[in-house]
């Protein structure tokens, strides 16, 4: 649970290094020693009593339809962290948590502290993390795994502990290691779930000084929760996932106590966390308010499955079918977009049927990974000429009430949402970007919901972001010149935060788009 080390230039340089060594690479799905594999394990049954049982019962009393789910949007970073604290503090039986990464910063330590306190109450905690970014801190992870009610497993982890061993692993298993688990899932008591775009880290909860993400999760109950548990179990029992205990890392209770003391001290001493309750608490009023705000619908969780040992794609095909079904209107917000000839053809065919397409993504100025923009920008003209209404988020958009959590005031906002609305009836919220990495390498997940109330709520939120005070409208002149138009005027070169970012945008074109 270390700080990120591969954004921007470093991410691009690392990708170039790996690509340069492709000729030396080999690999396939990881095959750990079968003796290290624990027996299959299923999520605990839904807690029969407790705050989260009452939370679900409050919804089903209002919406008694069999198989129904209730969902509420979480567009604000502060409310998204509070929702996770609420579920951790309210859990009485189980917490199943699955994340691409969980940083050891203010937000990560605060949530980890609450999860450990739940474990102290007897709550069974299962945590799956992607193993790539566990570059250091294995001892701390092992210490946390030492808690009698906590078990941690890593997806597609490094085989060695030293940096030299990891470098060798990267050379010999490049293709295997390039498959990363990008899922974000938080299931509490098998009664409540949070899923969507947010990892666990300061920038996802409004606590980073340089920039904060504009993101989206949903909190829900009903049938969608048990589907989330099925997703979690499919990874938990997969050969791609290895228990921390199988790596030969041993920790004592004293080491666990030391790590906990460090967590408590860091949380207590952080001025950024002043907006959040210092201790675990009862959330009865907040749970009741959330239950009353849940919008009913029929939910279907989709994910890229690894339960067989092979990767079976589920999210990309499901989204393609969803967009193909559109009759009138498709509204997309997606942070990282690198299209292909096939996707352009699909989008053009959709518009040829009379379907209106509107899409919001990052501008260069709002990007945290300008390398993506370097490969996205070639698709602006085909998108716009095909009839799409294309928008790019302004870095100075007046959305700080969503992105920044006081006392933090960041320098700019960057888009991280992955969502869509089709025909004001169907909704997608999940982890999948529209780029080659998400399509071909990452393991992704999301939920598709048939719900007019939820679709209208999300569409209203998304349409506000298309207004000229929040985004640039990308247009093509008859000459082919691309322009950007907003309340700041009309530009003939893409908006950027400065000269250095423009230089990065040119340099990153040298790297293939395959791994972004």
């Amino acid at each position: 649970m270390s700080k990120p080390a591969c954004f921007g230039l470093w991410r691009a340089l690392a990708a170039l290094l790996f690509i340069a060594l492709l000729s030396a690479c080999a690999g396939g799905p990881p095959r750990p020693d079968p003796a290290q594999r624990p027996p299959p394990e299923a999520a605990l049954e839904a807690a029969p009593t407790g705050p989260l049982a009452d939370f679900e019962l409050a919804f089903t009393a209002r919406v008694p339809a069999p198989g129904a789910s209730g969902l509420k949007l979480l567009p604000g970073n502060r409310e998204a962290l509070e929702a996770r604290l609420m579920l951790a503090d309210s859990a009485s039986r189980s917490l199943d948590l699955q994340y691409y990464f969980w940083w050891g910063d203010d937000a990560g330590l605060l949530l980890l502290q609450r999860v450990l306190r739940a474990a102290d109450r007897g709550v069974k905690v299962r945590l799956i993390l992607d193993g790539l970014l566990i570059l250091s801190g294995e001892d701390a992870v092992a210490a946390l795994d030492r808690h009698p009610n906590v078990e941690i497993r890593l997806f597609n982890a490094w085989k060695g502990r030293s940096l030299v061993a990891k470098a060798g692993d990267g050379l010999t298993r490049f293709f295997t290691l390039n498959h990363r688990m990008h899922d974000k899932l938080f299931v509490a008591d098998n009664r409540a779930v949070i899923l969507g775009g947010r990892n666990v880290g300061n920038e996802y909860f409004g606590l980073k000084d340089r920039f904060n993400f504009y993101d989206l999760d949903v909190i829900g109950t009903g049938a969608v929760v048990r589907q989330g548990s099925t997703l979690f179990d499919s990874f938990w029992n997969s050969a791609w996932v290895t228990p921390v205990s199988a790596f030969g890392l041993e920790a004592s209770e004293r080491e666990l106590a030391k790590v906990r003391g460090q967590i408590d001290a860091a949380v207590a001493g952080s001025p950024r966390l002043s907006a959040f309750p210092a201790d675990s608490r009862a959330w009865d009023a907040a749970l009741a308010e959330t239950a009353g705000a849940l919008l009913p619908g029929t939910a279907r969780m989709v994910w890229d499955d690894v339960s067989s040992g092979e990767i079976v794609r589920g999210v990309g095909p499901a989204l393609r079918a969803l967009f193909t079904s559109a009759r009138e209107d498709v509204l997309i917000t997606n942070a990282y977009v690198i299209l292909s000839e096939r996707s352009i053809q699909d989008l053009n065919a959709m518009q040829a049927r009379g379907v209106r397409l509107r899409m919001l993504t990052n501008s260069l100025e709002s990007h945290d990974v300008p390398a993506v923009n370097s490969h996205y920008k070639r698709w602006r003209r085909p998108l716009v000429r095909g009839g799409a209404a294309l928008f790019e988020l302004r870095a100075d958009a007046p959305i700080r009430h969503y992105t920044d959590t006081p006392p933090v005031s960041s320098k700019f906002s960057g888009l991280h949402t992955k969502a869509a609305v089709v025909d004001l009836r169907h909704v997608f919220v999940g982890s999948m970007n529209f780029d080659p990495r998400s399509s071909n390498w990452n393991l992704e997940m999301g939920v598709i919901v048939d719900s007019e109330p939820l679709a209208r709520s999300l569409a209203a939120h998304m349409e506000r972001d298309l207004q000229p005070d929040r985004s640039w409208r990308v247009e093509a002149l008859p000459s082919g010149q691309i322009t950007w138009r907003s309340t700041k005027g009309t530009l003939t070169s893409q908006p950027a935060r400065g000269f250095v970012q423009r230089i990065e945008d040119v340099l990153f074109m040298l790297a293939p788009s395959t791994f972004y």
Side-chain angles (χ1 to χ4, degrees):
M1 299 183 187
S2 57
K3 295 287 283 183
C6 49
F7 282 109
L9 180 61
W10 293 111
R11 177 172 174 173
L13 290 175
L16 284 170
L17 175 62
F18 278 134
I19 293 164
L21 295 167
L22 274 176
S23 61
C25 299
R31 302 296 184 193
D33 183 350
Q36 296 179 327
R37 299 297 313 159
E41 182 182 25
L44 296 179
E45 293 293 326
T49 59
L52 298 180
D54 294 341
F55 174 71
E56 180 169 4
L57 292 173
F59 170 73
T60 56
R62 178 165 57 89
V63 184
S69 297
L71 295 155
K72 176 182 180 293
L73 303 176
L74 297 175
N77 287 340
R78 176 176 174 174
E79 70 171 332
L81 181 51
E82 286 180 337
R84 287 164 171 81
L85 296 176
M86 178 175 71
L87 296 194
D89 288 349
S90 303
S92 62
R93 173 172 280 195
S94 62
L95 288 171
D96 288 339
L97 317 175
Q98 182 173 346
Y99 283 95
Y100 175 45
F101 59 72
W102 188 313
W103 299 138
D105 54 17
D106 305 85
L109 294 179
L110 175 62
L111 187 55
L112 182 58
Q113 179 192 64
R114 298 302 181 81
V115 169
L116 288 172
R117 290 180 181 178
D120 293 340
R121 300 193 306 269
V123 174
K124 180 179 179 181
V125 176
R126 299 189 296 172
L127 173 60
I128 303 175
L129 296 173
D130 186 88
L132 181 68
L133 298 180
I134 309 295
L135 295 172
S136 61
E138 292 105 328
D139 292 335
V141 173
L144 297 172
D145 189 67
R146 181 69 173 78
H147 194 294
N149 290 322
V150 175
E151 184 175 356
I152 303 173
R153 297 186 181 183
L154 302 180
F155 177 87
N156 198 9
W158 300 99
K159 290 184 175 180
R161 295 191 64 191
S162 70
L163 290 178
V164 172
K166 286 171 176 144
D169 201 14
L171 291 176
T172 58
R173 292 200 306 134
F174 171 78
F175 288 109
T176 299
L177 282 172
N178 211 22
H179 290 299
R180 307 317 318 172
M181 183 199 73
H182 199 232
D183 296 10
K184 303 98 167 59
L185 183 68
F186 194 117
V187 182
D189 278 359
N190 222 340
R191 291 286 192 176
V193 65
I194 297 173
L195 62 94
R198 289 182 176 93
N199 296 296
V200 179
N202 279 354
E203 58 267 44
Y204 300 93
F205 300 114
L207 297 172
K208 191 165 183 174
D209 295 325
R210 180 168 173 261
F211 77 96
N212 285 306
F213 281 126
Y214 188 37
D215 214 333
L216 183 69
D217 291 321
V218 290
I219 184 172
T221 193
V224 67
V225 182
R226 265 65 76 183
Q227 294 177 39
S229 291
T230 300
L231 184 166
F232 184 93
D233 286 347
S234 72
F235 276 83
W236 187 255
N237 297 312
S238 166
W240 286 81
V241 174
T242 306
V244 167
S245 58
F247 291 99
L249 300 172
E250 296 184 2
S252 65
E253 292 186 9
R254 182 177 179 179
E255 289 166 320
L256 171 59
K258 179 182 177 181
V259 170
R260 296 195 62 167
Q262 293 170 339
I263 293 170
D264 291 341
V267 170
S270 172
R272 291 188 181 90
L273 298 177
S274 60
F276 301 96
D279 297 305
S280 303
R281 49 164 281 197
W283 295 80
D284 296 352
L287 283 167
E289 180 180 356
T290 303
L294 296 174
L295 299 174
T298 302
R300 176 169 63 96
M301 291 281 293
V302 293
W303 63 90
D304 296 330
D305 187 42
V306 293
S307 58
S308 68
E310 305 300 324
I311 296 172
V312 179
R313 297 290 171 186
V315 185
L319 281 177
R320 192 169 296 114
L322 177 64
F323 295 145
T324 301
S325 73
R327 298 182 178 181
E328 298 178 358
D329 185 79
V330 173
L331 185 57
I332 296 171
T333 298
N334 199 276
Y336 307 114
V337 174
I338 302 176
L339 299 177
S340 64
E341 293 292 350
R342 178 185 177 183
S343 55
I344 287 291
Q345 291 171 5
D346 289 344
L347 294 173
N348 288 345
M350 182 173 66
Q351 292 169 96
R353 301 196 312 269
V355 177
R356 180 175 62 156
L357 171 63
R358 292 169 291 168
M359 179 185 293
L360 173 69
T361 189
N362 273 305
S363 62
L364 175 59
E365 69 172 356
S366 68
H367 244 300
D368 66 305
V369 187
V372 172
N373 186 82
S374 301
H375 297 280
Y376 147 75
K377 63 184 182 182
R378 64 170 290 209
W379 301 107
R380 288 184 179 123
R381 188 174 288 107
L383 264 175
V384 172
R385 286 191 161 178
L390 179 61
F391 301 83
E392 296 177 358
L393 185 71
R394 285 172 48 174
D396 64 346
I399 53 176
R400 299 303 175 85
H401 56 295
Y402 288 113
T403 61
D404 288 357
T405 298
V408 171
S409 179
S410 63
K411 293 180 175 61
F412 73 95
S413 300
L415 187 67
H416 198 260
T417 301
K418 307 95 166 54
V421 177
V422 173
D423 292 340
L424 282 179
R425 174 171 174 175
H426 298 282
V427 164
F428 170 80
V429 176
S431 68
M432 185 170 183
N433 298 306
F434 290 171
D435 61 11
R437 167 150 289 282
S438 284
S439 298
N440 303 322
W441 297 101
N442 285 348
L443 285 301
E444 305 287 356
M445 52 82 68
V447 64
I448 295 174
V449 190
D450 184 345
S451 169
E452 288 191 26
L454 186 67
R456 292 187 180 278
S457 176
L458 179 54
H461 177 76
M462 295 167 75
E463 287 171 340
R464 284 194 295 272
D465 296 333
L466 305 184
Q467 299 306 307
D469 65 328
R470 294 192 179 191
S471 65
W472 299 96
R473 174 72 183 264
V474 181
E475 298 174 318
L477 300 177
S479 64
Q481 172 73 53
I482 294 293
T483 64
W484 289 259
R485 180 167 52 84
S486 76
T487 55
K488 295 180 75 172
T490 300
L491 305 179
T492 55
S493 61
Q494 60 182 341
R497 296 195 301 274
F499 178 73
V500 172
Q501 199 181 34
R502 295 189 186 278
I503 294 298
E504 289 177 333
D505 184 54
V506 174
L507 291 177
F508 291 150
M509 293 173 64
L510 301 175
S513 64
T514 309
F515 300 106
Y516 288 109

